[in-house]
């Protein structure tokens, strides 16, 4: 899933994202992002990836952090009585809020946090754009103590401090204390691994300090090749799009329907 996402997102320089994948196969991959645009959401839709983002509902989507503990399965065969996990499912956390989040006018039993997700077109018409966002400022760390950000950061800390967890940071300069405090705490776990992908690399003071720790659990990919986002997406991450059965099926159907359409047009012309 990470490979497909990187190949899809490579059309722009996408920064401030951290990805985690736990070693045990029983856990889903997690994406923690500090950006509040919808690039990942568009990539998920394009790739057919199911994502759990802490919201529940259809016409009314409210923030319910308990949904991060949910998963997606489908019934197995009746003989075995087992269920099968749906492929391509990730958990997605927008730590600094989102353009698509707004404050609800009324709280009720289904909306305890007072946060609602709406289409951007509707948000702009209501003049509510940017209501739940942590903007770059010197005091943005204090905003993380408020809801819903505090709950999202709690999820971030709980995830990367688990045993044998791996954190991949892409384009993150380690300039935010509220992120660093959690990451440095995770380094107290002997089974934790930190992989830093950054073009500037050790030219950045914070990343250079990590390098000088000489900790084998900290891996830094930097420079024009290893630290470049396009290289990371095209070369270092395997490309599974070439073997995606859904892509093959779609191509076959397009060819069949295209040929059928051509025959129909030819008959109508005759």
């Amino acid at each position: 899933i990470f490979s497909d996402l990187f190949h899809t997102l490579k059309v722009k320089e996408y920064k401030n994202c951290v990805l985690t994948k736990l070693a045990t196969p029983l856990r889903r991959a997690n994406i923690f992002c500090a950006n509040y645009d919808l690039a990942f959401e568009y990539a998920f839709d394009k790739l057919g990836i199911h994502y759990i983002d802490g919201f529940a509902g259809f016409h009314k989507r409210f923030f319910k952090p308990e949904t991060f503990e949910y998963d997606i399965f489908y019934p197995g065969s009746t003989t075995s009585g087992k269920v099968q996990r749906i492929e391509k499912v990730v958990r997605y956390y927008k730590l600094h809020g989102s353009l698509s989040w707004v404050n609800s006018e009324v709280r009720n039993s289904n909306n305890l946090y007072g946060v609602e997700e709406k289409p951007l077109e509707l948000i702009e018409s209501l003049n509510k754009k940017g209501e739940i966002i942590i903007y770059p400022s010197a005091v943005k760390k204090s905003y993380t103590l408020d809801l819903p950000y505090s709950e999202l950061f709690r999820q971030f800390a709980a995830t990367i401090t688990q045993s044998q967890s791996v954190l991949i940071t892409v384009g993150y300069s380690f300039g935010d204390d509220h992120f660093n405090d959690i990451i440095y705490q995770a380094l107290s776990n002997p089974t934790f691994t930190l992989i830093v992908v950054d073009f500037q690399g050790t030219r950045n003071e914070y990343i250079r300090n990590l390098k000088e720790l000489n900790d084998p659990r900290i891996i830094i990919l930097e420079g024009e090749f290893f630290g470049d986002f396009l290289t990371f997406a095209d070369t270092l991450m395997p490309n599974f799009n070439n073997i995606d059965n859904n892509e093959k099926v779609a191509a076959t159907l397009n060819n069949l329907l295209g040929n059928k359409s051509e025959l129909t047009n030819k008959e109508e012309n005759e």
Side-chain angles (χ1 to χ4, degrees):
I1 294 175
F2 285 166
S3 302
D4 292 343
L5 274 174
F6 278 123
H7 285 284
T8 301
L9 291 167
K10 70 181 180 181
V11 295
K12 59 178 288 190
E13 185 179 0
Y14 205 74
K15 297 181 178 180
N16 296 332
C17 296
V18 292
L19 313 175
T20 68
K21 190 178 190 310
L22 299 180
T24 169
L26 299 179
R27 301 288 293 180
R28 295 292 192 182
N30 302 276
I31 298 179
F32 297 90
C33 193
N35 293 343
Y36 36 77
D37 58 48
L38 304 181
F40 266 104
E41 286 88 336
Y42 295 139
F44 291 144
D45 290 342
K46 182 176 181 179
L47 295 170
I49 294 175
H50 303 278
Y51 61 99
I52 301 170
D53 63 350
F55 283 79
F58 185 74
H59 294 293
K60 294 284 188 177
R61 289 181 53 78
F62 300 122
F63 182 64
K64 294 185 176 182
E66 62 268 24
T67 60
F68 284 122
E69 303 301 323
Y70 295 174
D71 210 329
I72 304 177
F73 298 84
Y74 63 88
S77 62
T78 56
T79 56
S80 62
K82 296 180 180 179
V83 296
Q84 303 293 328
R85 299 181 82 192
I86 296 292
E87 296 181 356
K88 290 188 175 182
V89 176
V90 298
R91 290 189 171 89
Y92 180 46
Y93 306 78
K94 304 189 79 169
L95 299 175
H96 282 174
S98 176
L99 291 172
S100 61
W101 298 1
V102 297
N103 291 311
S104 297
E105 296 180 357
V106 179
R107 300 192 184 201
N108 53 44
S109 58
N110 290 324
N111 183 24
L112 298 177
Y113 287 83
V115 180
E116 188 174 353
E117 186 176 35
K118 292 180 178 292
L120 286 182
E121 296 81 4
L122 180 58
I123 290 176
E124 291 177 351
S125 67
L126 297 174
N127 197 26
K128 285 178 167 286
K129 192 173 182 180
E131 282 192 343
I132 305 181
I133 287 176
I134 297 180
Y135 291 99
S137 68
V139 295
K140 61 182 177 180
K141 182 177 180 179
S142 62
Y143 288 105
T144 63
L145 301 176
D146 299 330
L147 293 171
Y149 315 111
S150 59
E151 174 60 28
L152 294 168
F153 274 88
R154 187 191 69 80
Q155 295 276 355
F156 178 41
T159 300
I160 69 171
T161 53
Q162 293 185 39
S163 177
Q164 297 184 334
S165 61
V166 178
L167 174 67
I168 304 174
T169 68
V170 182
Y172 173 55
S173 62
F174 286 82
D176 291 331
D177 290 337
H178 53 293
F179 283 113
N180 294 345
D181 291 344
I182 297 174
I183 296 173
Y184 296 161
Q185 179 62 35
L187 285 170
S188 65
N189 183 349
T191 64
F192 173 71
T193 301
L194 173 62
I195 301 175
V196 179
V197 181
D198 188 86
F199 187 86
Q200 296 293 328
T202 50
R203 284 180 287 179
N204 176 298
E205 179 183 0
Y206 299 103
I207 298 178
R208 182 168 63 251
N209 292 337
L210 288 173
K211 179 74 172 180
E212 291 174 352
L213 294 175
N214 293 321
D215 191 329
R217 299 173 303 154
I218 301 175
I219 302 170
I220 299 175
L221 304 179
E222 60 181 319
E224 296 182 358
F225 183 78
F226 289 106
D228 182 65
F229 182 84
L230 293 180
T231 301
F232 187 73
D234 288 334
T235 305
L236 301 182
M237 297 293 291
N239 186 356
F240 294 109
N241 285 327
N242 295 330
I243 57 174
D244 192 332
N245 289 331
N246 290 336
E247 292 289 340
K248 294 181 180 179
V249 171
T252 299
L253 291 176
N254 285 330
N255 290 332
L256 288 174
L257 295 176
N259 293 335
K260 182 178 179 180
S261 178
E262 292 177 1
L263 290 174
T264 303
N265 292 335
K266 183 178 180 181
E267 291 175 352
E268 289 178 352
N269 291 334
E270 291 177 351

